[in-house]
Amino acid sequence: MGCGASNIDSGLTIKLTNRLRDASIFLSGEQVECTVHFDSKLYDPDVEIKEAYIELVGQVGYTTSSIVTAYNHTGSAQTITYTDHRIPFFCERYEFYSESASEKSMTLSQFAMANKWTYKFTLPDELPSSLPPVGYRSSHPYIEYFIRMVLELKNWYQNDIRNSIPLIIYPRINLQNELQRPIEIERTNRKHIHIRINIAQSVIFPGIPFIIHYNLENPNRSTVQAIIVQLCQNHDMGTCGHYHTLIFDTDMLDGNDFKGEHLHNKFELTLPTHYLAPTSSYKFGLISGLTQRNPASVTYELIIDVKVSGLFNDFTLKCPIIMGVELNDERPPSYASAMNLR
């Protein structure tokens, strides 16, 4: 499914035809093109269609749970019931056939005679970023996009024929100014240990290394046990609260204690190669608690924890950092020019 083609169990096959990247990933404002093929051999060819359409859908999903307690002669037992919720916020649909708008009926065999269809969707310039579920049956909302083809059959006792393919959609962001802005943070603890962190730019990208330069002053020769760097992703979704994901956690001292007075060093970090949602914010309309007062946002934070022997000597530095979309030679020219990288 994630490779850009749907399964064919239903006889409907959906395939993306203009992928610019390795996976089914698109930026807002881009065009999504797909082909649909229907194999009617799995069905009675004379079955009539009520409606046939294809749509690109964006929706917020989340799961709620309830506990039901039942009593009998052996005691009580609790059952947890889960309910999945889907709230669409975007839908673009093309109708191939509608019984109410046509004078002639259409059968599955007639529909299949066209063999293959091509559809094009143009994404709006502003969309919230795809966000996967944070866990199985999680109550924290997620955002998903998919293309769905549906053949609604005329007889009520026959199951509709449908298939879908997932998409990952990220907002298009202008990072021209941010790429030139370095990060510099510093702090001193009660033992007069001072650390200064420098990063050449405030934007990082999945799979691309970035270098942290650090300068440690330790005049009392205290034992510095670790300098741990963490990258955290933060989701905020409407009134549903905050969710924190740890992307990586590593010790820049590599497990070695430091007892000297001065340490000047650099540490290269590489982000995971899988796609990470870029830093972004989106204001929903008035739908089920996801209001404009509480937008859906994705932010990242770099956290430096300095571990020092003794009580109350540890200290922490934090700074926001921006996640961009993965850079490659196949990205759209408009995006490349906005990034000022060519």
Side-chain angles (χ1 to χ4, degrees), residues 58-75:
Q59 64 184 19
V60 175
Y62 63 96
T63 302
T64 57
S65 61
S66 59
I67 299 177
V68 178
T69 303
Y71 298 91
N72 55 32
H73 65 281
T74 61

Side-chain angles (χ1 to χ4, degrees), residues 127-178:
L127 283 173
S129 179
S130 294
L131 286 175
V134 296
Y136 180 62
R137 288 178 169 172
S138 171
S139 61
H140 193 82
Y142 56 90
I143 297 175
E144 62 180 358
Y145 295 90
F146 54 88
I147 294 175
R148 176 169 57 199
M149 182 73 190
V150 179
L151 303 181
E152 291 187 9
L153 303 185
K154 188 173 182 178
N155 295 325
W156 62 268
Y157 55 85
Q158 293 175 318
N159 293 327
D160 295 337
I161 303 170
R162 61 181 64 214
N163 205 356
S164 62
I165 181 172
L167 301 177
I168 298 174
I169 296 177
Y170 290 148
R172 188 186 297 269
I173 53 179
N174 189 341
L175 301 175
Q176 185 172 1
N177 295 328
E178 300 296 339

Side-chain angles (χ1 to χ4, degrees), residues 4 41 56 73 106 110 123 154 184 278 302 321-322:
K41 296 177 183 178
L56 194 157
H73 65 281
M106 175 175 285
Q110 291 172 329
L123 299 175
K154 188 173 182 178
E184 181 174 326
L302 199 64
I321 195 164
I322 297 172

Side-chain angles (χ1 to χ4, degrees), residues 26-96:
F26 295 86
L27 298 179
S28 58
E30 289 185 349
Q31 191 173 80
V32 181
E33 183 178 303
C34 67
T35 59
V36 178
H37 173 74
F38 177 56
D39 184 0
S40 62
K41 296 177 183 178
L42 301 174
Y43 304 94
D44 181 348
D46 296 325
V47 170
E48 293 186 351
I49 297 173
K50 180 181 179 181
E51 193 170 9
Y53 59 88
I54 188 170
E55 58 187 358
L56 194 157
V57 179
Q59 64 184 19
V60 175
Y62 63 96
T63 302
T64 57
S65 61
S66 59
I67 299 177
V68 178
T69 303
Y71 298 91
N72 55 32
H73 65 281
T74 61
S76 63
Q78 289 186 336
T79 301
I80 301 178
T81 301
Y82 295 94
T83 304
D84 294 326
H85 303 268
R86 304 289 187 270
I87 307 172
F89 59 85
F90 171 76
C91 182
E92 185 175 343
R93 175 186 291 196
Y94 293 112
E95 283 197 357
F96 180 86

